[in-house]
Amino acid sequence: MNKQSVQLALHLSAFMLSILLVISISIDTFKGIAFYDDINYLDLQFWICVLLIVLFGLEVYNADKSWQYLGNHVLFLLLIIPYLTLFDWFGVSLSTEMAFLFRFIPLIRGYIAFTIIAYKLLKDLAAGLLIIYIVVLFSFIYYCSLIFYVLEINVNPMVHNFWNSLWYSCMTATTAGCSIQAVTTVGKVISVLLALAGMMLLPVFTVYLTNIIRYGHLSRRSEEMGGRQDADS
C-alpha cells in the first residue's frame, strides 16, 4: 500500500469517528440529556479525540515531509483537542450555549477529511464539488437545527420539538421565510448564518444543473452536425 492510499485510509477513519460523534450528539439532544454533565459523552468525545490525534500523528509520520505537513495542517490538531474534557478537568465553567458549540469542533475535522476523500476518489471535479457542497449545506442545516432546538426549546413558544427547529432551519436557508422567529441571541445569529449559507451554496446547484443541460445540448448538436457531414460525404 502506497503512502497516498494510507493517507486516504487515515482520512476515512477520521471521518467515520466524526460520524460517531454526530450520532452521539443527536441522541443526547433528542433525549434531552444534559450533555455537558454527561460523563458518558465526555468519555466518548475524549477517546475519539485521542484516536483522531493518533491518526493525525500517523498522517504526519506517513507524509513525505513530516515537519512541513505538520506546519501546514496544524489546524487539524487544534480541531481535535478534547476541549470539553480539559475544561472539566480544570474546573472551567461554560454556559450551556458555549458547551454545546464546543461539542461540534471535532466534527469540523471529519468534514475536512470528507472533502479530501471526495477530491481523491471522484475523477469528475465538478461532480465532486457538487457532492461536497450538498454534504456541507445539509450538515450545516442539521447542526444549526440541533443548536437552535437546544437554545430555543425552553424559551420560544413556537418551538415544540426538533422538527419545528429543522423546518425553521430549512426555510431560513432557502430564504423562503418562516413563521417561527428566534428569541435568543445565538438563535438570531444562527438565522443570519443559515441565510448566508443558503445564498452562497444553493446557487451552486443551479449552475451545475445548467452546465449539465448545456453540455448535453452541445453534445447533441455536435452529433447532429457529425451525422450531416457523413450524409453529405
Side-chain angles (χ1 to χ4, degrees):
M1 183 179 289
N2 56 36
K3 287 189 175 182
Q4 186 175 2
S5 298
V6 172
Q7 292 288 76
L8 192 62
L10 292 173
H11 287 306
L12 181 60
S13 300
F15 178 66
M16 297 306 294
L17 288 172
S18 296
I19 292 297
L20 182 59
L21 277 179
V22 172
I23 294 173
S24 175
I25 290 173
S26 300
I27 291 174
D28 284 0
T29 301
F30 297 150
K31 289 184 176 181
I33 297 175
F35 49 84
Y36 187 63
D37 296 325
D38 184 12
I39 301 300
N40 292 329
Y41 175 79
L42 289 177
D43 290 342
L44 176 64
Q45 189 189 60
F46 172 76
W47 288 111
I48 286 180
C49 287
V50 169
L51 290 174
L52 289 173
I53 292 172
V54 171
L55 291 174
F56 179 75
L58 293 175
E59 291 176 22
V60 174
Y61 176 78
N62 187 65
D64 293 328
K65 298 180 179 179
S66 297
W67 286 108
Q68 182 177 350
Y69 184 91
L70 177 61
N72 293 336
H73 297 81
V74 67
L75 177 62
F76 288 11
L77 181 61
L78 296 177
L79 290 173
I80 55 181
I81 295 174
Y83 293 104
L84 286 181
T85 302
L86 294 178
F87 291 152
D88 184 57
W89 286 352
F90 291 102
V92 178
S93 59
L94 296 175
S95 65
T96 301
E97 294 85 356
M98 289 302 299
F100 196 80
L101 292 175
F102 267 103
R103 296 187 71 174
F104 288 93
I105 291 179
L107 303 182
I108 301 174
R109 172 65 183 95
Y111 283 95
I112 293 175
F114 170 79
T115 302
I116 296 172
I117 294 168
Y119 272 119
K120 297 291 184 181
L121 295 182
L122 295 174
K123 296 181 181 179
D124 187 347
L125 180 60
L129 286 174
L130 179 65
I131 292 174
I132 291 171
Y133 279 129
I134 290 174
V135 171
V136 169
L137 178 60
F138 282 92
S139 299
F140 185 72
I141 290 174
Y142 180 69
Y143 295 158
C144 286
S145 300
L146 290 174
I147 297 172
F148 189 83
Y149 172 71
V150 169
L151 298 179
E152 301 278 334
I153 184 62
N154 294 321
V155 295
N156 193 331
M158 294 183 175
V159 179
H160 306 289
N161 50 52
F162 172 74
W163 303 111
N164 295 142
S165 177
L166 183 60
W167 175 256
Y168 168 82
S169 297
C170 291
M171 290 299 98
T172 305
T174 57
T175 65
C178 184
S179 59
I180 301 173
Q181 300 295 324
V183 174
T184 63
T185 302
V186 178
K188 294 177 181 178
V189 172
I190 289 174
S191 303
V192 175
L193 294 178
L194 281 168
L196 290 175
M199 288 188 290
M200 288 188 295
L201 297 179
L202 286 177
V204 174
F205 307 146
T206 306
V207 172
Y208 182 77
L209 292 175
T210 302
N211 286 337
I212 290 178
I213 296 172
R214 184 175 173 224
Y215 178 77
H217 180 67
L218 291 175
S219 298
R220 285 194 298 272
R221 287 190 60 185
S222 178
E223 291 175 359
E224 291 174 358
M225 292 179 63
R228 291 175 183 174
Q229 291 177 355
D230 293 339
D232 294 339
S233 61

